[in-house]
């Protein structure tokens, strides 16, 4: 058996750059979400003759229109993503990781630029669908994060310790858990600092248009960074499939006789993951619209809440889940590792349910923040299902 090819020192040295790209992407994403919702709400209020957002909260018609527009903008990303994300893995195996990373980075840049131009030039709000659809066609956040993790896996799993003319010695795969932990930490850090920065900017009187301009500059820096990273998946390791086979293979796997015993298990996992992902993506827009409509919560308080929720989710994923799994394994040594993970997924789902229930029963702005107590539990849901 031939040893795997040795990655260049440039690819190994680019790991910090890729990790920083993951941070910038998640920072931008979690800054854009609340800005998008507030921007749409302000536009709808202005179209109905209200000078201030706080003046139109009692108008259920305005809130309903804003909610529908935000739903359509979200669907413009998620529906194309459903159609394309199945083949992202096959495309990465055929063309490499770098093209997908570059494509998603520039799609995010274009979406933020479209928001900026729509706000600056007072375009019709439905123009935003163009940027959202383009981002969905490229796979959205799913493709961006998957390509970054694939890049990190390529680099970290094959660290050369000795290379001579006779043989190649590859170090044990100790680098992958550390690299994945670093990427997860930076993703959560971006999700925490993004809303926090946006809240501080709004508290200082920075306009929504200027916030969009800041995101454009941030994504331009990220797109420039990824242009200079080396490819981590060399041509010798790529799967040589035709363009048609690259698209057919993910669907064909579900219908092969050899996959019959695993087919229903895969479908159930995919179904559960879709529900988890729906609640994860719906958390931010639902909370922003709910807090604005019911309590007229200021933008900075919403941002502080979202930043705190991201930090507590990181605590649940990085501490409770990582430390809890080994502890449960020692407590129940005869239990399968995957069964213990499912237990933590169940606890995470209960945590999310308690978060939403506490928000629904809240009677004031201060009582809404009580729901933060359950986010450490909720943080175990998404990583547990992904594993």
């Amino acid at each position: 058996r031939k040893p795997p090819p040795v990655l260049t020192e440039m690819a190994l040295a680019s790991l910090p750059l890729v990790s920083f790209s993951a941070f910038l992407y998640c920072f931008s994403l979690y800054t854009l979400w609340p800005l998008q919702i507030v921007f749409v709400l302000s536009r709808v209020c202005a179209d109905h003759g209200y000078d201030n957002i706080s003046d139109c909260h009692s108008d259920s018609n305005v809130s309903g229109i804003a909610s529908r527009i935000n739903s359509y903008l979200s669907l413009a990303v998620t529906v194309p993503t459903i159609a394309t994300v199945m083949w992202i893995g096959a495309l990465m195996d055929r063309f490499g990781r770098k093209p997908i990373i570059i494509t998603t980075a520039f799609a995010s840049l274009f979406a933020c630029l479209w928001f900026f131009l729509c706000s600056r030039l007072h375009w019709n709000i439905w123009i935003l669908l163009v940027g959202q659809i383009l981002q969905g066609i490229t796979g959205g956040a799913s493709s961006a994060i998957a390509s970054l993790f694939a890049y990190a896996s390529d680099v970290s799993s094959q660290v050369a310790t000795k290379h001579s003319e006779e043989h190649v010695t590859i170090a044990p795969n100790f680098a992958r858990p550390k690299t994945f932990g670093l990427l997860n930490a930076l993703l959560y850090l971006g999700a925490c600092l993004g809303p926090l920065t946006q809240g501080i900017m709004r508290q200082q009187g920075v306009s929504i248009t200027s916030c969009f301009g800041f995101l454009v500059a941030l994504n331009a820096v990220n797109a420039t960074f990824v242009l200079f990273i080396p490819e981590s998946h060399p041509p010798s390791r790529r799967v040589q499939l035709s363009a048609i086979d690259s698209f057919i293979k993910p669907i064909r796997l579900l219908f092969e006789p050899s996959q019959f015993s695993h087919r229903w298990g895969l479908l159930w996992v995919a179904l559960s993951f879709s529900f988890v992902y729906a609640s994860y993506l719906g958390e931010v827009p639902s909370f922003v619209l709910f807090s604005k409509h019911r309590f007229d919560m200021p933008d900075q308080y919403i941002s502080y809440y979202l930043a705190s929720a991201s930090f507590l989710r990181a605590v649940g994923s990085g501490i409770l889940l990582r430390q809890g799994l080994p502890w449960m394994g020692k407590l129940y040594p005869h239990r399968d590792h995957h069964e213990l993970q499912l237990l933590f997924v169940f606890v995470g789902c209960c945590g999310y349910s308690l978060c939403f229930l506490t928000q629904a029963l809240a009677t004031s702005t201060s009582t809404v923040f009580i729901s933060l107590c359950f986010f450490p539990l909720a943080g175990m849901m998404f990583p547990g299902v992904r594993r």
Side-chain angles (χ1 to χ4, degrees), residues 97-152:
R97 321 303 191 198
K98 185 177 178 179
I100 306 299
I101 295 176
I102 293 176
T103 302
T104 54
F106 275 91
S108 179
L109 171 61
F110 181 81
C112 292
L113 179 62
W114 215 243
F115 272 99
F116 173 75
L117 293 176
C118 184
S119 177
R120 180 71 177 175
L121 303 178
H122 303 283
W123 288 348
N124 190 294
I125 200 165
W126 294 108
I127 296 293
L128 294 174
L129 289 173
V130 177
Q132 299 295 90
I133 291 174
L134 177 64
Q135 194 172 16
I137 291 174
T138 59
S142 300
S143 298
I145 295 175
S147 59
L148 291 170
F149 271 93
Y151 190 100

Side-chain angles (χ1 to χ4, degrees), residues 27-357:
F27 183 96
S28 172
L29 181 67
Y30 273 81
T31 306
L32 180 62
W33 275 351
L35 275 178
Q36 169 194 320
I37 297 166
V38 174
F39 172 66
V40 170
L41 184 59
S42 63
R43 270 297 188 88
V44 174
C45 290
D47 292 342
H48 285 76
Y50 293 99
D51 297 329
N52 199 339
I53 296 180
S54 58
D55 298 334
C56 66
H57 287 159
S58 58
D59 193 337
S60 58
N61 183 40
V62 172
S63 300
I65 294 174
S67 299
R68 284 194 295 272
I69 293 176
N70 278 302
S71 300
Y72 297 149
L73 291 176
S74 298
L75 288 173
V77 178
T78 54
V79 172
T81 298
I82 293 172
T84 58
V85 76
M86 289 179 59
W87 298 284
I88 292 298
L91 292 176
M92 282 194 294
D93 290 339
R94 183 168 185 257
F95 299 106
R97 321 303 191 198
K98 185 177 178 179
I100 306 299
I101 295 176
I102 293 176
T103 302
T104 54
F106 275 91
S108 179
L109 171 61
F110 181 81
C112 292
L113 179 62
W114 215 243
F115 272 99
F116 173 75
L117 293 176
C118 184
S119 177
R120 180 71 177 175
L121 303 178
H122 303 283
W123 288 348
N124 190 294
I125 200 165
W126 294 108
I127 296 293
L128 294 174
L129 289 173
V130 177
Q132 299 295 90
I133 291 174
L134 177 64
Q135 194 172 16
I137 291 174
T138 59
S142 300
S143 298
I145 295 175
S147 59
L148 291 170
F149 271 93
Y151 190 100
S153 177
D154 291 339
V155 176
S156 61
S157 62
Q158 298 182 23
V159 181
T161 57
K162 186 187 297 184
H163 185 202
S164 63
E165 295 180 356
E166 294 81 12
H167 65 279
V168 176
T169 303
I170 302 298
N173 194 15
F174 65 89
R176 181 181 291 182
K178 293 183 179 180
T179 305
F180 280 16
L182 174 63
L183 274 180
N184 276 314
L186 288 175
L187 287 174
Y188 279 118
L189 183 62
C192 178
L193 294 182
L196 183 62
T197 304
Q198 184 256 341
I200 294 175
M201 293 174 67
R202 295 290 292 156
Q203 189 176 17
Q204 297 299 320
V206 180
S207 65
I208 294 181
T209 304
S210 299
C211 291
F212 285 141
F214 169 71
L215 290 180
V216 171
L218 201 68
N219 280 275
V221 172
N222 185 30
T224 304
F225 276 167
V226 297
L227 286 175
F228 296 99
I229 63 174
E231 177 59 61
S232 67
H233 199 59
S236 59
R237 299 182 59 197
R238 295 177 189 173
V239 179
Q240 301 301 324
L241 294 175
S242 65
I244 297 177
D245 288 338
S246 298
F247 285 91
I248 294 178
K249 183 179 178 181
I251 299 177
R252 190 173 58 195
L253 287 175
L254 294 176
F255 298 95
E256 289 183 356
S258 60
Q259 299 292 327
F260 182 79
S261 59
H262 304 288
R263 187 183 307 161
W264 291 109
L266 288 173
L267 289 176
W268 277 113
V269 169
L271 183 62
S272 63
F273 191 79
S274 65
F275 283 117
V276 168
Y277 202 62
S279 63
Y280 184 75
L281 291 180
E283 170 203 342
V284 174
S286 62
F287 174 76
V288 173
L289 291 174
F290 169 76
S291 57
K292 280 286 186 184
H293 177 70
R294 188 165 183 178
F295 304 116
D296 192 16
M297 188 180 293
D299 292 349
Q300 59 268 25
Y301 287 169
I302 295 176
S303 302
Y304 298 154
Y305 179 92
L306 296 176
S308 301
S310 298
F311 173 76
L312 293 173
R313 270 200 306 265
V315 171
S317 174
I319 297 178
L320 296 182
L321 183 62
R322 291 182 181 275
Q323 301 299 325
L325 278 174
W327 181 77
M328 291 292 291
K330 294 179 181 179
L331 190 63
Y332 300 100
H334 301 293
R335 289 288 183 180
D336 185 73
H337 185 67
H338 298 289
E339 292 179 354
L340 298 178
Q341 286 185 344
L342 288 175
L343 176 62
F344 280 92
V345 171
F346 175 76
V347 174
C349 292
C350 293
Y352 254 118
S353 300
L354 291 173
C355 290
F356 293 136
L357 181 62

